[in-house]
Amino acid sequence: MLSPNDDVKVMAKKSLQTSGIGKCKDCKDKSCAVSILKNQELDVLAQNSSELKIPKGEIVIREGELTTFVAYLKSGLVKEHLKGLNGKSQIIKLIKAKSYLGLSAGLSSKMSLYTYSALEDLNVCYIDLNILKKLMKDNGNFAYEILLSVSRENITNSFWFVNKNQKQIYGRCADAMLYFSKIIFEKNKFTLPITHFELAALIGTTRESVTRTLSKFKSDGILQINEKNITILNNKLLENISKNG
DNA sequence: CCATTAATTTAGT
DNA sequence: ACTAAATTAATGG
């Protein structure tokens, strides 16, 4: 939890200088954008990026830090959150593999606006932001792909927030369950990756309401719950609840 | 290194 | 807010 993220940064910087050439070329988890790069550009990327393992619970990028890096999530699940006015953590969303972390803020702000924490053990590539910017300026197709991903992120964020603000707890919980099953895990059976407390911070309610609503869903036969394992039994009803708030 | 216990976190009411 | 259960950390062998 209280990981001195500086260590990560120092390690990243160190290995930036020593990372070998050809790594990005051979990467099996390239982003759509990076797939577009030419061999020569991939070499540049490889020389200015570094893959790191981040254990569960550690922070990938902390809000308020200088944005010298962008992180590409190769594998694992991350939560994007920030501190609200009262100092309480507000979760923006979860992010799954093959996405960039800190991109939208990184391009325009000198400081990171969000904190990214590992919900699982991660493989992350730290990429020098200046190199990324240079690649974008030099290669229009690459820049276009990066813009696409920022745009998509923007759209899903907006819908998420609008829905959240216009729905009651039931609708929000239903949304969250559909979010996990459809977007994050892409199956109707999954293990809740966060605690009830965190789920509450994600959908803007209290831990108690989350617990209460989930057990209601369970007793109504919508969900099967044991421990953190959730199976969606009645997807249609769940979507109705989501739709009607 | 493993087992036991203490402390913290989480879920449910 | 309180309790029970579960997870994690600390201790001692």
Side-chain angles (χ1 to χ4, degrees):
Chain A
M1 286 296 155
L2 40 131
S3 66
N5 198 38
D6 294 346
D7 289 354
V8 171
K9 282 304 170 69
V10 169
M11 280 161 70
K13 265 178 193 160
K14 239 179 223 169
S15 40
L16 266 185
Q17 289 147 13
T18 56
S19 65
I21 299 175
K23 276 183 189 169
C24 293
K25 224 181 286 185
D26 305 331
C27 178
K28 290 183 177 57
D29 301 309
K30 280 201 251 317
S31 67
C32 298
V34 169
S35 315
I36 280 171
L37 295 178
K38 304 179 188 80
N39 275 344
Q40 183 204 336
E41 290 168 320
L42 286 169
D43 289 343
V44 172
L45 186 63
Q47 279 170 330
N48 292 282
S49 64
S50 149
E51 184 171 353
L52 231 62
K53 285 187 190 307
I54 308 277
K56 181 179 175 178
E58 302 270 312
I59 289 172
V60 183
I61 296 172
R62 192 186 296 272
E63 66 189 284
E65 278 180 344
L66 288 178
T67 49
T68 47
F69 293 95
V70 117
Y72 178 65
L73 181 62
K74 274 183 84 171
S75 69
L77 193 63
V78 162
K79 85 172 169 182
E80 181 183 64
H81 55 116
L82 55 83
K83 290 226 187 338
L85 290 176
N86 47 9
K88 282 185 179 161
S89 172
Q90 169 75 46
I91 301 178
I92 309 296
K93 62 172 179 287
L94 304 190
I95 301 173
K96 58 179 182 174
K98 297 202 180 189
S99 319
Y100 287 96
L101 310 178
L103 188 57
S104 59
L107 288 176
S108 62
S109 165
K110 289 213 184 309
M111 281 188 179
S112 175
L113 302 178
Y114 309 113
T115 300
Y116 297 89
S117 320
L119 293 174
E120 310 166 343
D121 292 349
L122 309 177
N123 282 305
V124 164
C125 291
Y126 285 92
I127 302 166
D128 189 305
L129 193 54
N130 286 325
I131 294 300
L132 189 85
K133 285 180 181 171
K134 179 161 177 15
L135 288 171
M136 286 176 73
K137 285 176 186 166
D138 292 349
N139 185 333
N141 287 332
F142 176 71
Y144 176 71
E145 285 296 331
I146 295 284
L147 269 177
L148 271 187
S149 66
V150 173
S151 166
R152 283 194 208 101
E153 186 184 335
N154 201 1
I155 291 168
T156 51
N157 276 353
S158 303
F159 274 99
W160 181 251
F161 280 108
V162 169
N163 285 342
K164 197 173 78 177
N165 287 330
Q166 298 185 350
K167 283 175 188 175
Q168 310 296 321
I169 307 282
Y170 278 43
R172 296 188 205 175
C173 269
D175 275 353
M177 293 301 111
L178 291 169
Y179 174 63
F180 288 134
S181 75
K182 289 211 160 134
I183 296 170
I184 301 291
F185 297 107
E186 298 179 41
K187 41 184 148 165
N188 66 348
K189 193 177 174 186
F190 56 87
T191 301
L192 205 59
I194 53 177
T195 65
H196 286 188
F197 181 80
E198 290 173 304
L199 187 51
L202 177 66
I203 63 178
T205 182
T206 61
R207 186 189 63 80
E208 286 89 334
S209 295
V210 168
T211 303
R212 211 155 22 82
T213 308
L214 287 185
S215 20
K216 179 86 169 81
F217 284 172
K218 185 184 180 182
S219 66
D220 287 353
I222 299 169
L223 300 176
Q224 189 184 81
I225 306 175
N226 47 54
E227 306 293 302
K228 288 198 157 189
N229 300 308
I230 293 181
T231 309
I232 295 181
L233 299 173
N234 193 338
N235 197 66
K236 218 170 191 176
L237 194 45
L238 203 56
E239 286 188 352
N240 262 343
I241 295 170
S242 161
K243 202 173 159 189
N244 300 320

